[in-house]
């Protein structure tokens, strides 16, 4: 159902331009294409250095893991096998911390540490039990076993590509070594007992250099592909598990919900104390004075009662506004369509409202959706300098989608500690998402996603 409050905007249910992947930087500040810049970029040098370091690190890690695990497994017939296995797993966790630091420094892959060991009480035996029961310990051990063959493969491929590329590219500079010191025309391409082919004429030398150029240009991308696999292994095996990450996220969301509820209670208490309560106290005093003057000066008492009547109306209006800010009656009785239409009618710019929902969501989600649109339309009224705005609400699969657009000056940013940041935190507490696309000069598009529960 659509309700018109002004000029209509076209409905756009696509994602805002700012919510997708960042555009790939083609020609950088040097003006060269990426394929020509790659061999000289710092990123390529760091990735190649990562591959070179991976082999010695993998040898040490693999040797430690295989030796300690084999020793611990062999000693399991005695009690000594358990502490040896615990020490082996603890060592793997330590190497995992080293690998996360190395990936962060050279590959730019930031991986959080896995869940810490949780022990009920201090002691060696409880520590050994925690290490052996920790999934992060066994994932670190698996990383040690998988990284060694992959590091050998990566090292061989990367070094061969790099060496052959630069050697062939610079062949015109050093091919003279062969006729002068080796007694042959140049680099031997083929040879047997009866026939030999040497790269010794200008055309062959030039083609050899071009092949080397091709290898040199391809090498950074080959190394980048190899290190991408390393990044996947670090993320998947050395980071927190999905379950532990979800637990941490839920703990943060619970804290956000508690903080939001406490802030709302403080706001309600402040509004009652400074608004309606103060008016009611003044009203009681005025009525007391009117009662005393009723016999002495009825006209003055009547004026005081009339003034008190006006104060009662003002206090009632403040209480209605306060109740509407908590959970309006129209939302409970008639749903989002009517409630959002009421909010839009109080906006300082014309607002088109369109709500297309197959059913009403649960009250909690419905209340958050109402609060979200109310806050966004308040921002439109106060900051946007827009001529018109639109509100669209619809369901997409298992998500409740909200889009608020205006044709104002733009420049809204949820990362600068504004009300949008608090709104994003409130949505995040219920697995919601807030995406703001507001370039300078406008227009502004804000998309909010909430979980759909009917």
């Amino acid at each position: 159902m659509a309700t018109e409050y002004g000029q209509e905007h076209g409905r756009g249910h696509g994602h805002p331009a700012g919510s997708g992947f960042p555009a790939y930087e083609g020609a950088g500040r040097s003006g060269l294409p990426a394929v020509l810049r790659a061999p000289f970029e710092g990123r390529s040098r760091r990735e190649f250095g990562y591959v070179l370091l991976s082999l010695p690190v993998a040898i040490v890690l693999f040797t430690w893991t295989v030796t300690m695990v084999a020793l611990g497994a062999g000693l399991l017939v005695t009690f000594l096998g358990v502490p040896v296995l615990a020490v082996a797993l603890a060592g793997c966790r330590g190497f995992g911390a080293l690998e996360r630091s190395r990936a962060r420094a050279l590959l730019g892959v930031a991986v959080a540490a896995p869940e810490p060991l949780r022990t009920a009480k201090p002691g060696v035996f409880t520590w050994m039990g925690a290490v052996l029961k920790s999934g992060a310990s066994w994932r670190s051990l698996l990383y040690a076993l998988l990284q060694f063959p992959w590091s050998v493969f990566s090292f061989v491929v990367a070094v061969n590509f790099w060496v052959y590329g630069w050697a062939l590219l610079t062949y015109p500079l050093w091919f003279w070594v062969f006729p002068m010191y080796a007694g042959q025309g140049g680099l031997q391409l083929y040879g047997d007992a009866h026939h030999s082919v040497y790269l010794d004429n200008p055309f062959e030398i030039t083609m050899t250099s071009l092949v080397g150029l091709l290898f040199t240009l391809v090498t950074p991308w080959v190394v980048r592909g190899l290190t991408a696999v390393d990044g996947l292994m670090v993320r998947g095996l050395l980071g927190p598990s999905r379950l532990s990450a979800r637990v941490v996220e839920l703990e943060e969301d619970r804290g956000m919900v508690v903080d939001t509820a406490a802030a709302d209670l403080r706001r309600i208490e402040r509004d009652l104390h400074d608004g309606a309560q103060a008016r009611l106290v003044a009203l009681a005093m005025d009525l007391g004075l009117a009662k005393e003057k009723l016999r002495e000066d009825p006209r003055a008492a009547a004026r005081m009662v009339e003034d008190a009547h006006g104060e009662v109306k003002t206090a009632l209006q403040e209480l209605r506004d306060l109740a509407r800010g908590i959970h309006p009656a129209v939302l409970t009785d008639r749903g989002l369509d009517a409630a959002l239409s009421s909010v839009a009618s109080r906006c300082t710019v014309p607002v088109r409202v369109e709500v297309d929902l197959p059913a009403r969501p649960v009250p909690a989600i419905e209340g958050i959706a109402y609060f979200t649109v109310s806050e966004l339309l308040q921002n439109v009224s106060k900051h946007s300098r827009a001529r018109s705005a639109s509100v669209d609400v619809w369901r997409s699969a298992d998500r409740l989608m909200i889009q608020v657009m205006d044709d104002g000056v733009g420049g809204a940013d949820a990362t600068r500690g504004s009300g949008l940041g608090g709104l994003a935190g409130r949505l995040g507490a219920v697995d919601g998402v807030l995406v703001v696309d507001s370039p300078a000069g406008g227009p502004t598009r804000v998309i909010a996603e909430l979980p759909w529960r009917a």
Side-chain angles (χ1 to χ4, degrees), residues 228-392:
V229 177
D230 286 287
L232 290 176
M233 288 198 297
V234 172
R235 290 189 187 96
L237 297 176
L238 299 182
S241 65
R242 291 185 178 181
L243 179 59
S244 64
R246 181 60 176 165
V247 168
V248 172
E249 181 182 352
L250 291 176
E251 289 178 349
E252 293 176 352
D253 291 345
R254 182 183 62 184
M256 177 66 70
V257 170
V258 172
D259 293 342
T260 301
D264 288 342
L265 287 176
R266 289 194 299 269
R267 176 180 59 83
I268 294 170
E269 181 182 7
R270 183 179 64 251
D271 291 344
L272 284 173
H273 183 271
D274 298 340
Q277 181 180 345
R279 291 188 181 278
L280 291 175
V281 170
L283 175 63
M285 296 175 61
D286 291 343
L287 290 176
L289 293 174
K291 180 180 178 181
E292 293 178 359
K293 287 184 173 290
L294 185 60
R295 293 180 181 180
E296 301 176 0
D297 190 353
R299 291 185 178 180
R303 287 195 301 270
M304 295 179 70
V305 170
E306 184 178 355
D307 293 339
H309 184 256
E311 288 292 322
V312 168
K313 290 182 177 179
T314 303
L316 287 175
Q317 183 60 42
E318 289 181 352
L319 288 174
R320 289 193 193 97
D321 294 339
L322 182 60
R324 186 183 296 115
I326 299 172
H327 197 89
V330 65
L331 178 62
T332 304
D333 298 337
R334 300 173 57 190
L336 271 176
D337 193 1
L340 296 184
S341 299
S342 175
V343 172
S345 66
R346 299 193 298 271
C347 189
T348 58
V349 301
V351 181
R352 176 184 63 81
V353 177
E354 183 174 350
V355 178
D356 182 14
L357 296 176
R360 291 184 63 174
V362 296
I365 298 299
E366 197 173 51
I368 294 175
Y370 171 83
F371 177 82
T372 300
V373 175
S374 299
E375 289 291 311
L376 293 176
L377 289 183
Q378 283 185 18
N379 287 343
V380 172
S381 298
K382 295 178 181 178
H383 309 296
S384 70
R385 289 184 279 173
R387 295 187 299 272
S388 61
S390 65
V391 177
D392 294 287

Side-chain angles (χ1 to χ4, degrees), residues 410-424:
D413 188 357
T415 63
R416 294 188 301 198
S418 61
L420 289 175
L423 187 59

Side-chain angles (χ1 to χ4, degrees), residues 162-183:
W162 191 87
V163 170
Y164 278 103
W166 284 102
L168 295 178
L169 177 63
T170 58
Y171 182 61
L173 303 178
W174 57 272
F175 83 98
W176 54 268
V177 172
F178 293 96
M180 181 171 294
Y181 296 104

Side-chain angles (χ1 to χ4, degrees), residues 402-426:
I402 302 170
Q403 178 179 268
V404 178
M405 295 182 61
D406 67 73
D407 57 359
V409 296
D413 188 357
T415 63
R416 294 188 301 198
S418 61
L420 289 175
L423 187 59
R426 183 181 289 244

